[in-house]
Amino acid sequence: MNYTRLMEADLAKLGAAVADWKRMAGDLHRLGGDARDGLKAKADKAQWEGVNASVTRGFVDKTVKEFGDLGAQAQSLGAALDDVHAELKRLQQRARDLTTAAKEDGLTVSDGKEGKVVISEALVCDVERGQRKIDLMQWYADTITGVVLHAAEVDAAAVRALRASHGGDPHNAGHATYTSLDQDMLPRALKLAALGASADERQQKELRRLWQSLSPEARAQLWQGHRNDLLAAGLLIPQVKRVAADDGAGPYNVESPGVDDYWKELLANGISNTGDFIGKPDAARHMDHYLNGSGKTLDLDVDRMLADDQNLRDVTPGVRADEEGEWRREVLEAFGKSGGKPVAIPVETSGQGYHHVNGGDRNWYLAVGSAMTNTNGVVTAVPGPDGRPQVSIDYQVNVWDRYNWDPGKFTPIGATTVTDADMVRFHTTGQAREFDMRGSSSVQQHDLNSGGSWPGPVDPGRDGTRTDPGRNTAAR
């Protein structure tokens, strides 16, 4: 499976095959019933003895069993093919939607090696790519490649299910019965979930793909039994498009610093070192990381951001408000289809921009400024004592941004005024480097039946300096 094959696959033929298998399963089921209720019933009631009677009864019993086995095998093959058809249609449409979006962003998509895709600019120019374009190209490459890999995994699961159902013996049917691809995918998801925090990036991505393909009932089974392992294995890593809002300072380390640049760098380090003393540990920490020049992604302590900043607390409920009604409707529909069994669906909002205002928490205003946020999680519906569904969500708040400075502005800190143009130049001369900031809050639960207020922020439990254990580390 590659990008081109997924995009061009004629899934109508597969849909027709599914319909044929369903008709065949129905015909075999009727034949099996006729054989069981007619031929076998008459043979069992017949009053005759001898060699002919014994041979005939044995033949009838074997024939009736074969009809039953063939019916079970046809039903199993039809169920597996039906799941495959639905999943491949969903993934093909996802690939087409992403391709259209990439085209609108001035990009093209083509096949790469080993199922990966290559993202190129539709119009090549001499201007060096800005950070936003770099991020967009990487996001499309990772996301569309993930869709192609997902389709390949669905195809492989179908092959395993079909082989198990058929058994390889043309004279002996009914080896395994599948009601859905869950029977192939759920055991694989359980193995990956058991890895917990030791799951590597490849395994985390596979687990998230399997999670998407499982039925709502299988997801609930996995979530209820292995919630903590799933969280540790990165199940809730947000899938929303997280890219730089702008190009920032542009190319890195393209000019040589002068004496004045080194002097300003000393001044900037001095400002950073006073951050803790004036109650702005994260502003100091982020400037430290910028001046350190590694460019590595920095973890954001979103629990502490929510606890400290009223504006972020005000924005996040609004991000969810437009979605929670649809989440509840979708999970209740799945609950009804399951016959009242527990169900779970993954949910995620789109990104929403917000500001840490200067008049609010100044630490986060200086450390982050403007950023993006969204909410993702798992909505479940389980039968209550009266059988009615109890709907709740386990969710987290995500925040991301790119640390850069805007020329033409200035930021007063204490008795010193730092011009943003000076800070921008450090990136240009290689004395500092812009970096991504990302983080997620602790996972909390909210009752979607009650319609009450969402929980407040988790107590971050910090000692308040930029040298807190775990608070000055890069995500990758």
Side-chain angles (χ1 to χ4, degrees), residues 273-334:
N273 290 331
T274 66
D276 283 334
F277 298 105
I278 56 175
K280 300 172 183 61
D282 294 281
R285 173 192 178 220
H286 292 193
M287 189 181 285
D288 278 348
H289 195 65
Y290 178 63
L291 296 171
N292 175 267
S294 71
K296 292 183 178 179
T297 300
L298 195 68
D299 291 329
L300 288 174
D301 188 342
V302 179
D303 284 336
R304 194 147 57 89
M305 295 175 76
L306 286 164
D308 292 346
D309 192 272
Q310 181 65 49
N311 198 44
L312 179 57
R313 292 199 299 274
D314 290 341
V315 168
T316 50
V319 172
R320 298 185 291 257
D322 295 336
E323 305 284 352
E324 56 184 286
E326 177 61 20
W327 295 342
R328 192 171 188 280
R329 185 204 63 76
E330 186 178 346
V331 80
L332 288 176
E333 181 180 334

Side-chain angles (χ1 to χ4, degrees), residues 75-367:
Q75 187 174 14
S76 178
L77 293 172
L81 287 172
D82 197 16
D83 266 11
V84 171
H85 181 241
E87 275 296 277
L88 289 180
K89 275 187 69 176
R90 180 180 69 82
L91 292 168
Q92 185 184 68
Q93 189 59 54
R94 175 67 170 152
R96 288 174 175 175
D97 290 345
L98 286 165
T99 300
T100 299
K103 185 176 180 180
E104 292 172 352
D105 283 327
L107 304 171
T108 61
V109 188
S110 59
D111 280 307
K113 296 179 180 179
E114 300 178 351
K116 295 181 180 180
V117 300
V118 176
I119 306 296
S120 307
E121 292 179 278
L123 296 175
V124 180
C125 59
D126 295 333
V127 179
E128 188 168 348
R129 291 171 187 158
Q131 188 62 45
R132 178 170 173 77
K133 179 62 69 70
I134 292 171
D135 286 355
L136 277 173
M137 294 177 72
Q138 188 63 57
W139 185 83
Y140 280 117
D142 292 343
T143 305
I144 299 176
T145 294
V147 173
V148 174
L149 290 174
H150 196 163
E153 288 164 356
V154 169
D155 185 59
V159 170
R160 289 191 295 269
L162 295 177
R163 284 176 176 167
S165 294
H166 184 269
D169 186 346
H171 304 293
N172 186 12
H175 293 270
T177 302
Y178 283 80
T179 57
S180 74
L181 284 183
D182 286 345
Q183 287 159 263
D184 178 88
M185 292 184 164
L186 182 56
R188 296 167 65 82
L190 285 167
K191 287 183 179 180
L192 291 170
L195 296 175
S198 64
D200 60 27
E201 185 178 5
R202 179 189 61 80
Q203 292 163 332
Q204 289 182 0
K205 289 180 178 179
E206 183 181 357
L207 176 60
R208 290 195 292 273
R209 292 193 294 266
L210 286 167
W211 173 257
Q212 291 290 334
S213 284
L214 291 174
S215 69
E217 301 99 295
R219 280 197 215 103
Q221 180 182 339
L222 184 61
W223 182 253
Q224 290 178 327
H226 305 275
R227 176 184 180 276
N228 292 338
D229 287 337
L230 289 167
L231 293 176
L235 183 71
L236 292 189
I237 291 175
Q239 303 304 296
V240 70
K241 187 187 294 182
R242 294 184 289 175
V243 300
D246 53 50
D247 288 335
Y252 166 71
N253 194 21
V254 292
E255 293 185 27
S256 298
V259 174
D260 189 52
D261 295 314
Y262 287 121
W263 166 249
K264 290 176 180 176
E265 183 183 359
L266 287 172
L267 180 63
N269 275 294
I271 293 170
S272 172
N273 290 331
T274 66
D276 283 334
F277 298 105
I278 56 175
K280 300 172 183 61
D282 294 281
R285 173 192 178 220
H286 292 193
M287 189 181 285
D288 278 348
H289 195 65
Y290 178 63
L291 296 171
N292 175 267
S294 71
K296 292 183 178 179
T297 300
L298 195 68
D299 291 329
L300 288 174
D301 188 342
V302 179
D303 284 336
R304 194 147 57 89
M305 295 175 76
L306 286 164
D308 292 346
D309 192 272
Q310 181 65 49
N311 198 44
L312 179 57
R313 292 199 299 274
D314 290 341
V315 168
T316 50
V319 172
R320 298 185 291 257
D322 295 336
E323 305 284 352
E324 56 184 286
E326 177 61 20
W327 295 342
R328 192 171 188 280
R329 185 204 63 76
E330 186 178 346
V331 80
L332 288 176
E333 181 180 334
F335 183 81
K337 289 181 178 179
S338 75
K341 297 177 183 177
V343 292
I345 61 170
V347 298
E348 183 165 12
T349 69
S350 57
Q352 173 70 48
Y354 78 97
H355 304 280
H356 293 282
V357 296
N358 194 11
D361 186 274
R362 189 160 169 74
N363 173 51
W364 292 112
Y365 166 73
L366 294 171

